[in-house]
Coordinates of all heavy atoms in Angstrom, one line a residue:
A299 N 67.2 -140.8 110.1 CA 66.1 -140.2 110.8 C 66.3 -140.4 112.3 O 66.9 -141.4 112.7 CB 64.8 -140.8 110.4
V300 N 65.9 -139.5 113.1 CA 65.9 -139.6 114.6 C 64.6 -139.3 115.1 O 63.7 -138.7 114.5 CB 67.0 -138.6 115.2 CG1 68.4 -138.9 114.8 CG2 66.6 -137.2 114.9
S301 N 64.3 -139.8 116.3 CA 63.0 -139.6 117.0 C 62.9 -138.1 117.4 O 63.6 -137.6 118.2 CB 62.9 -140.4 118.2 OG 61.7 -140.2 118.9
E302 N 61.9 -137.4 116.7 CA 61.7 -136.0 117.0 C 61.3 -135.7 118.4 O 61.5 -134.6 118.8 CB 60.8 -135.4 115.9 CG 61.4 -135.5 114.5 CD 60.5 -134.8 113.5 OE1 59.8 -133.8 113.9 OE2 60.5 -135.2 112.3
H303 N 60.6 -136.6 119.0 CA 60.1 -136.3 120.4 C 61.2 -136.1 121.4 O 61.0 -135.6 122.5 CB 59.1 -137.3 120.8 CG 59.7 -138.7 121.3 ND1 60.0 -139.7 120.4 CD2 60.1 -139.1 122.5 CE1 60.5 -140.7 121.0 NE2 60.6 -140.4 122.3
S304 N 62.4 -136.6 121.1 CA 63.6 -136.5 122.0 C 64.3 -135.1 122.0 O 65.0 -134.8 122.9 CB 64.6 -137.6 121.7 OG 64.1 -138.8 121.8
F305 N 64.0 -134.4 121.0 CA 64.7 -133.1 120.8 C 63.7 -131.9 120.7 O 62.5 -132.1 120.6 CB 65.5 -133.1 119.4 CG 66.6 -134.2 119.4 CD1 66.3 -135.4 118.9 CD2 67.8 -133.9 120.0 CE1 67.3 -136.4 119.0 CE2 68.8 -134.9 120.0 CZ 68.6 -136.1 119.5
P306 N 64.2 -130.7 120.9 CA 63.3 -129.5 120.9 C 62.5 -129.5 119.6 O 63.0 -129.9 118.5 CB 64.2 -128.3 121.0 CG 65.4 -128.9 121.6 CD 65.6 -130.3 121.1
P307 N 61.2 -129.0 119.6 CA 60.4 -128.9 118.4 C 61.1 -128.1 117.3 O 61.7 -127.1 117.5 CB 59.2 -128.1 118.9 CG 59.1 -128.3 120.4 CD 60.6 -128.4 120.8
G308 N 61.0 -128.7 116.1 CA 61.6 -128.0 114.9 C 63.1 -128.3 114.7 O 63.6 -128.0 113.6
S309 N 63.8 -128.9 115.7 CA 65.2 -129.1 115.6 C 65.6 -130.2 114.6 O 66.7 -130.3 114.1 CB 65.8 -129.3 116.9 OG 65.3 -130.5 117.5
C310 N 64.6 -131.1 114.3 CA 64.9 -132.3 113.5 C 64.3 -132.1 112.1 O 64.2 -133.1 111.3 CB 64.4 -133.5 114.1 SG 65.2 -133.9 115.7
K311 N 63.9 -130.9 111.7 CA 63.2 -130.7 110.5 C 64.1 -131.1 109.3 O 65.2 -130.7 109.2 CB 62.9 -129.2 110.3 CG 62.0 -128.9 109.1 CD 61.7 -127.4 109.1 CE 60.9 -127.1 107.8 NZ 60.5 -125.7 107.8
G312 N 63.5 -131.9 108.4 CA 64.2 -132.3 107.2 C 65.2 -133.4 107.3 O 65.9 -133.7 106.3
I313 N 65.4 -134.1 108.4 CA 66.3 -135.1 108.6 C 65.8 -136.4 107.9 O 64.7 -136.8 108.1 CB 66.6 -135.4 110.1 CG1 67.3 -134.2 110.7 CG2 67.5 -136.7 110.2 CD1 67.6 -134.4 112.2
P314 N 66.7 -137.1 107.2 CA 68.0 -136.8 106.9 C 68.0 -135.8 105.7 O 67.2 -135.9 104.8 CB 68.7 -138.1 106.5 CG 67.5 -139.0 106.0 CD 66.3 -138.5 106.7
R315 N 69.0 -134.9 105.7 CA 69.2 -133.9 104.7 C 70.4 -134.3 103.8 O 71.2 -135.2 104.3 CB 69.5 -132.5 105.3 CG 68.3 -131.9 105.9 CD 68.6 -130.5 106.4 NE 69.5 -130.6 107.6 CZ 69.0 -130.7 108.9 NH1 67.7 -130.7 109.1 NH2 69.8 -130.8 109.9
A316 N 70.6 -133.6 102.7 CA 71.8 -133.9 101.9 C 73.0 -133.5 102.8 O 73.0 -132.5 103.5 CB 71.7 -133.0 100.6
L317 N 74.1 -134.2 102.6 CA 75.3 -133.9 103.3 C 75.8 -132.4 103.1 O 76.2 -131.7 104.1 CB 76.5 -134.8 102.9 CG 77.8 -134.6 103.5 CD1 77.7 -134.7 105.0 CD2 78.8 -135.5 102.9
S318 N 75.6 -131.9 101.9 CA 76.0 -130.5 101.6 C 75.2 -129.5 102.5 O 75.7 -128.5 102.9 CB 75.9 -130.2 100.2 OG 74.6 -130.4 99.7
E319 N 73.9 -129.8 102.7 CA 73.1 -128.9 103.5 C 73.5 -129.0 105.0 O 73.6 -128.0 105.6 CB 71.6 -129.3 103.3 CG 70.7 -128.3 104.0 CD 69.2 -128.6 103.7 OE1 68.9 -129.6 102.9 OE2 68.4 -127.9 104.2
D320 N 73.8 -130.2 105.5 CA 74.3 -130.3 106.8 C 75.6 -129.6 107.0 O 75.8 -128.9 108.0 CB 74.4 -131.8 107.2 CG 73.1 -132.4 107.6 OD1 72.1 -131.7 107.8 OD2 73.1 -133.7 107.7
L321 N 76.5 -129.7 106.1 CA 77.8 -129.0 106.1 C 77.5 -127.5 106.2 O 78.2 -126.8 107.0 CB 78.6 -129.3 104.9 CG 79.3 -130.7 104.9 CD1 79.8 -130.9 103.5 CD2 80.3 -130.8 105.9
F322 N 76.6 -127.0 105.4 CA 76.3 -125.5 105.4 C 75.7 -125.1 106.8 O 76.2 -124.1 107.3 CB 75.4 -125.2 104.3 CG 75.0 -123.8 104.3 CD1 75.8 -122.8 103.7 CD2 73.7 -123.4 104.8 CE1 75.5 -121.5 103.7 CE2 73.4 -122.0 104.8 CZ 74.2 -121.1 104.3
I323 N 74.8 -125.9 107.2 CA 74.1 -125.5 108.5 C 75.2 -125.5 109.6 O 75.2 -124.6 110.4 CB 73.0 -126.5 108.8 CG1 71.8 -126.3 107.9 CG2 72.5 -126.4 110.3 CD1 70.8 -127.4 107.9
M324 N 76.0 -126.6 109.7 CA 76.9 -126.7 110.8 C 78.0 -125.6 110.7 O 78.4 -125.1 111.8 CB 77.6 -128.0 110.9 CG 76.7 -129.1 111.4 SD 77.5 -130.7 111.8 CE 77.8 -131.3 110.1
S325 N 78.4 -125.2 109.6 CA 79.4 -124.2 109.4 C 78.9 -122.8 109.8 O 79.7 -121.9 110.0 CB 80.0 -124.1 108.0 OG 79.0 -123.7 107.1
K326 N 77.6 -122.6 109.9 CA 77.0 -121.4 110.4 C 76.6 -121.3 111.8 O 76.1 -120.3 112.3 CB 75.7 -121.1 109.5 CG 76.0 -121.0 108.0 CD 76.8 -119.8 107.7 CE 77.1 -119.6 106.2 NZ 78.1 -118.6 106.0
C327 N 76.8 -122.4 112.5 CA 76.5 -122.5 114.0 C 77.5 -121.9 114.9 O 78.7 -121.9 114.5 CB 76.3 -124.0 114.4 SG 74.8 -124.7 113.6
D328 N 77.1 -121.4 116.0 CA 78.0 -120.8 117.0 C 78.6 -122.0 117.8 O 79.7 -121.8 118.3 CB 77.3 -119.9 117.9 CG 76.8 -118.6 117.2 OD1 77.5 -118.2 116.3 OD2 75.7 -118.1 117.6
F329 N 77.9 -123.0 118.1 CA 78.3 -124.2 118.9 C 78.0 -125.4 118.1 O 76.9 -125.6 117.5 CB 77.6 -124.2 120.2 CG 77.7 -123.0 121.0 CD1 76.7 -122.0 120.9 CD2 78.7 -122.9 122.0 CE1 76.8 -120.8 121.7 CE2 78.8 -121.7 122.7 CZ 77.9 -120.7 122.6
I330 N 78.9 -126.4 118.1 CA 78.7 -127.7 117.5 C 78.9 -128.8 118.5 O 80.0 -128.8 119.1 CB 79.6 -127.9 116.2 CG1 79.2 -126.9 115.2 CG2 79.4 -129.3 115.7 CD1 80.1 -126.9 113.9

């Protein structure tokens, strides 16, 4: 878990997630 107040609203939703979900999300991003 990370402090949600440090990041934009909604950006920390569901943390921590399953590794497979994080892999999927990151592989769909334009920037990492």
Side-chain angles (χ1 to χ4, degrees):
V300 296
S301 176
E302 292 187 30
H303 75 273
S304 300
F305 297 94
S309 62
C310 297
K311 185 177 179 182
I313 292 178
R315 289 181 288 272
L317 178 59
S318 58
E319 190 174 356
D320 279 348
L321 286 168
F322 177 78
I323 290 169
M324 284 190 289
S325 70
K326 299 296 182 187
C327 292
D328 294 325
F329 303 90
I330 297 178

